[in-house]
Amino acid sequence: MMNVSVTMENETKREFERFCKDVGLSVSAAFNIFAKKVVREHRIPFDISNEDPFYSAENQERLALSVRHAQEGLLTEHELIEVR
């Protein structure tokens, strides 16, 4: 076994410790789970992005097309379906 030191903001550490406790894990166990998943999958096991997908080029193009269709009166009427 080897010790690993991690530096993080105090509030993040407190919240992470609280989360781990709530789910019945130690901080060490949580980091071990993360490390094993990285090794097994050869990737970070979640998306890392600083962009809101709403502002992606693809979504902005789709929104622009929808606006053009609305301006040209090319709208499609749909029946409202209520879910209970």
Side-chain angles (χ1 to χ4, degrees), residues 26-69:
S26 67
V27 170
S28 181
F31 275 109
N32 274 290
I33 290 169
F34 171 75
K36 288 178 181 182
K37 191 161 178 73
V38 168
V39 169
R40 185 173 49 252
E41 296 181 6
H42 299 280
R43 68 181 190 89
I44 301 294
F46 46 83
D47 292 334
I48 300 174
S49 175
N50 66 349
E51 292 186 24
D52 183 334
F54 178 83
Y55 296 103
S56 70
E58 180 182 0
N59 194 50
Q60 292 301 303
E61 289 172 18
R62 178 67 181 99
L63 290 170
L65 177 63
S66 294
V67 168
R68 279 196 304 279
H69 284 172

Side-chain angles (χ1 to χ4, degrees), residues 62 64-78:
R62 178 67 181 99
L65 177 63
S66 294
V67 168
R68 279 196 304 279
H69 284 172
Q71 290 169 337
E72 296 169 5
L74 303 172
L75 301 175
T76 304
E77 188 173 320
H78 297 275

